[in-house]
Amino acid sequence: MTEAMEQSGRGASPELLAAMEANLFEAYAHLGRALGGEFHQRNGLLFFFSGRPVFFANGVVRCQLAEQEADEQIALLCAEARRRQVPLTWLLAPSSRPSDLEQRLQAQGCQLDEEVPGMAIDLGQPIPAGAPPVPEDLVVEEVGEARAMETWLQVLCDGFGFPEPIRAVFFDLYQRYGFLPGQQVRYLLGFRHGEPVGTALLTFGGGLAGLYGVATLPQARRQGVGTAMTLAAMRTAEQLGYRRATLQATPMGLNVYRRLGWQEYCLFKTYVLA
């Protein structure tokens, strides 16, 4: 647990932690299904392979292994990824087991890729007095047709600086499925002066609204766009009847979320076998 989590003075209930994990697991599994991944469940593992050569396209969604079989199962799965010649991402959450899972993954050649705080907020609260300002001329629209979806993807990729192989995967999904909203996902696109500048994505699982894909074009940063997109997503979730939301904060967005009232409750990590 980070120092900021300890200083917050608010511990998460087991139910909240389970809901936060379930939301992230469902979001990753949703991506895996969209990628056409073949899912497998065995011995406390839920994983998929899509065969695409990018890190997030083959992954372990849930890992709850017994100590006595953990090394064998990890080795088998890593060997399968090497046989298929694809990278493999392991998603680690508070419930991941065994307790020394990270050391066991490292022994198989996996490396820590990311460590981010899991955050949550009760929706419907007043915006804190210390919240960052937002641009009054920003207009946020929900994506509902194919042309807007293509624009949303372009802003997302540019905002995160995705390399070409990752862009290719997302745009291939768009060409195949349209990538349009459904019961599990909503896309928001922000405009200033008629030009698209920011994105946000809502996914639903574990009884929570999950906020993902908050991206701002480089030329529009430090102008409150990310804050505005976050608030718009929170309002959308509340209008859909959700009482709580969750997210995993990037270093760039962490202080913004804190100032909006989000609380840190746990850590999520990803390990990658390249």
Side-chain angles (χ1 to χ4, degrees):
M1 185 172 290
T2 67
E3 182 180 353
M5 291 180 205
E6 292 172 352
Q7 290 177 350
S8 71
R10 293 180 57 185
S13 67
E15 293 77 17
L16 176 57
L17 282 178
M20 293 169 67
E21 287 192 22
N23 187 277
L24 179 56
F25 292 159
E26 179 54 37
Y28 194 24
H30 179 73
L31 176 60
R33 290 190 292 269
L35 288 163
E38 54 182 70
F39 277 76
H40 304 271
Q41 189 164 356
R42 71 170 187 235
N43 301 96
L45 291 171
L46 174 63
F47 60 94
F48 70 93
F49 284 103
S50 75
R52 298 172 185 259
V54 292
F55 72 94
F56 59 80
N58 311 275
V60 180
V61 180
R62 184 180 286 107
C63 180
Q64 295 175 335
L65 293 167
E67 285 193 21
Q68 62 270 24
E69 61 184 7
D71 286 337
E72 179 184 6
Q73 292 299 322
I74 292 168
L76 284 171
L77 201 49
C78 289
E80 178 65 13
R82 292 187 177 104
R83 185 187 70 79
R84 294 173 182 249
Q85 297 184 312
V86 294
L88 180 67
T89 291
W90 293 74
L91 178 60
L92 274 60
S95 70
S96 296
R97 297 289 181 272
S99 58
D100 60 350
L101 178 58
E102 292 185 67
Q103 289 81 4
R104 295 173 188 253
L105 290 174
Q106 291 166 5
Q108 291 295 328
C110 301
Q111 295 186 342
L112 178 66
D113 178 65
E114 190 175 46
E115 178 179 292
V116 294
M119 307 184 82
I121 194 170
D122 292 329
L123 298 172
Q125 303 179 89
I127 300 174
V134 298
E136 295 182 359
D137 57 353
L138 185 83
V139 177
V140 179
E141 298 179 358
E142 190 169 335
V143 173
E145 50 89 21
R147 189 179 185 89
M149 189 67 239
E150 186 171 3
T151 301
W152 188 93
L153 276 174
Q154 189 65 57
V155 175
L156 178 80
C157 290
D158 290 346
F160 280 115
F162 288 152
E164 186 54 40
I166 294 179
R167 289 172 180 264
V169 168
F170 282 121
F171 276 92
D172 177 59
L173 292 179
Y174 164 71
Q175 294 294 334
R176 287 188 179 198
Y177 306 113
F179 233 45
L180 288 176
Q183 290 185 338
Q184 286 185 301
V185 62
R186 299 291 177 98
Y187 305 90
L188 301 177
L189 185 59
F191 296 85
R192 290 192 79 180
H193 313 298
E195 295 296 323
V197 293
T199 63
L201 164 68
L202 283 168
T203 66
F204 308 107
L208 305 178
L211 179 55
Y212 300 87
V214 178
T216 304
L217 292 180
Q219 64 269 25
R221 288 178 187 156
R222 301 189 182 281
Q223 300 172 34
V225 173
T227 300
M229 296 305 302
T230 301
L231 289 171
M234 291 165 60
R235 286 193 296 270
T236 300
E238 186 180 2
Q239 291 165 2
L240 291 171
Y242 286 86
R243 297 174 55 194
R244 274 180 167 172
T246 184
L247 58 79
Q248 298 80 51
T250 63
M252 187 178 296
L254 180 57
N255 284 333
V256 170
Y257 300 132
R258 286 172 175 164
R259 291 172 66 186
L260 290 175
W262 292 75
Q263 297 286 329
E264 299 159 68
Y265 291 111
C266 63
L267 287 174
F268 292 103
K269 301 181 182 183
T270 53
Y271 273 79
V272 175
L273 179 71

